[in-house]
Amino acid sequence: MTAVVRILLRRVALLVPLLLGIVLFVFLVMRFSHVDPASAFFQGANPTPGQLHDFRERNGLLDPLPLRYVHFVGDLLHGDLGTSALTRAPVVDQVTTALPLTLQLTFLGLALAVVLALAGGVTAAVYRDRLPDQVIRVVSLVGVAAPGFWLALLMIQYLAVDRGWFPTGGYVNPADSLTGWLRTMALPAFALSLPVAAQLTRIVRTSVVEELDKDYVRTAIGSGLPPRVVVGRNVLRNALVNPLTVLGLRVGYLLGGAVVIETIFSLPGMGKLMIDAVQNGDPAVVQGVVLTTATGFVVVNLVIDILYLLVNPRLRAA
């Protein structure tokens, strides 16, 4: 068994206690919150104390906390996230409906962030201390400081309301119209990606500058290889190690930021689902959305770890 396979198996094995810890944390937070599932189920119906007691007994809410946790984990293993107190529908159905849009928005934002960061970071490093570098550094600094929701509001005002280039909100399924889908997702994806792209640009620039100062780069260029070939084939591959590490951490920002961005642009994704559940006092839906988002964050970080192994030969050798 190679070292890479052993490292990957160890990463996968660590997922089990990590996911159990996430489930335990969410379970305890929801159980000690002020929201009563029985009251949420009967909201607006003025239930009697007997009805509330029967509901709690029927759903195991009167059992000891450890036993309730065991039942909770067992339900999760069977794909049961509970039942919405508002719609009386399984939470997993609502999550399954909302999750694809959030994944679309997150991965569009991730792709835009990576493209912008690579283009800006490499350009700034190649033209170090010259005008392009100075402009990119100022723009990236502003991007790091600007919150995503503020950028979203600016884009809506200047690009959607004033000029009408994009819709102010809503969602079009790509199966119905690919052009309409791109128009509805463009502004949310840019608003979500720009803060991450700005931070990654600075890290990519620093990593590329460090690689450009190494002896093998000067030797390769001195031997007659075009600089663009050296940068594209050798420098960029070695310089991606540090940005990949940061990218894995920023995926959590993208998933969390999607909650706010979806609300601003009225996108029916996981963020809007959770906001509506919080406002309507629907604890099962809130719990399901948090668990799904946390699990997605863990899985994406596992993928980033695999990519980290692929681009870091020193780690594979170790």
Side-chain angles (χ1 to χ4, degrees):
M1 185 182 296
T2 64
V4 175
V5 175
R6 285 198 301 269
I7 293 174
L8 291 179
L9 290 177
R10 190 160 59 244
R11 293 282 199 279
V12 173
L14 287 174
L15 286 182
V16 177
L18 181 59
L19 290 175
L20 286 176
I22 292 173
V23 170
L24 177 61
F25 176 77
V26 174
F27 173 82
L28 292 176
V29 168
M30 295 304 298
R31 295 310 174 275
F32 287 106
S33 68
H34 70 280
V35 179
D36 180 17
S39 300
F41 185 83
F42 289 105
Q43 55 182 321
N46 295 321
T48 64
Q51 289 176 314
L52 293 174
H53 183 273
D54 290 342
F55 178 86
R56 296 187 181 106
E57 186 175 19
R58 189 169 58 251
N59 291 274
L61 299 177
L62 301 179
D63 294 337
L65 199 61
L67 182 60
R68 291 167 61 187
Y69 175 69
V70 172
H71 290 161
F72 179 64
V73 173
D75 290 340
L76 290 180
L77 292 177
H78 289 88
D80 184 5
L81 292 175
T83 302
S84 169
L86 185 65
T87 64
R88 306 295 193 268
V91 175
V92 67
D93 292 344
Q94 299 185 51
V95 169
T96 304
T97 302
L99 183 59
L101 190 147
T102 299
L103 292 179
Q104 293 170 26
L105 178 59
T106 300
F107 285 107
L108 270 178
L110 183 65
L112 282 172
V114 170
V115 170
L116 293 174
L118 288 177
V122 172
T123 302
V126 171
Y127 293 95
R128 180 179 11 175
D129 296 330
R130 284 180 278 178
L131 182 61
D133 180 27
Q134 295 172 356
V135 171
I136 291 173
R137 289 166 69 180
V138 170
V139 172
S140 63
L141 184 62
V142 173
V144 169
F149 71 88
W150 180 72
L151 293 173
L153 294 175
L154 286 182
M155 289 179 180
I156 291 175
Q157 179 63 44
Y158 292 106
L159 299 180
V161 176
D162 292 349
R163 290 168 176 80
W165 294 347
F166 300 95
T168 57
Y171 175 71
V172 175
N173 195 302
D176 298 331
S177 172
L178 183 59
T179 303
W181 176 76
L182 288 173
R183 292 186 74 245
T184 55
M185 297 295 287
L187 293 187
F190 269 107
L192 185 64
S193 68
L194 287 180
V196 177
Q199 184 181 22
L200 284 177
T201 297
R202 298 169 64 85
I203 297 172
V204 169
R205 178 195 177 277
T206 302
S207 298
V208 173
V209 165
E210 291 176 355
E211 289 296 320
L212 289 174
D213 289 337
K214 292 183 177 179
D215 293 337
Y216 79 89
V217 176
R218 290 191 290 267
T219 302
I221 294 177
S223 63
L225 287 175
R228 64 178 180 275
V229 174
V230 177
V231 171
R233 185 179 299 173
N234 303 106
V235 172
L236 194 57
R237 178 185 176 90
N238 295 331
L240 282 179
V241 175
N242 291 334
L244 267 180
T245 306
V246 177
L247 182 62
L249 299 175
R250 300 309 290 171
V251 170
Y253 167 82
L254 291 171
L255 288 171
V259 173
V260 179
I261 298 300
E262 287 174 2
T263 303
I264 292 175
F265 287 94
S266 299
L267 297 174
M270 296 282 281
K272 191 172 186 302
L273 179 63
M274 185 169 71
I275 294 297
D276 291 343
V278 171
Q279 292 176 342
N280 296 323
D282 200 342
V285 175
V286 175
Q287 181 176 267
V289 172
V290 172
L291 283 174
T292 304
T293 305
T295 303
F297 175 69
V298 171
V299 172
V300 170
N301 272 272
L302 176 63
V303 175
I304 295 295
D305 284 342
I306 295 173
L307 294 176
Y308 188 78
L309 285 173
L310 294 177
V311 302
N312 191 352
R314 288 171 294 185
L315 184 58
R316 297 199 302 268

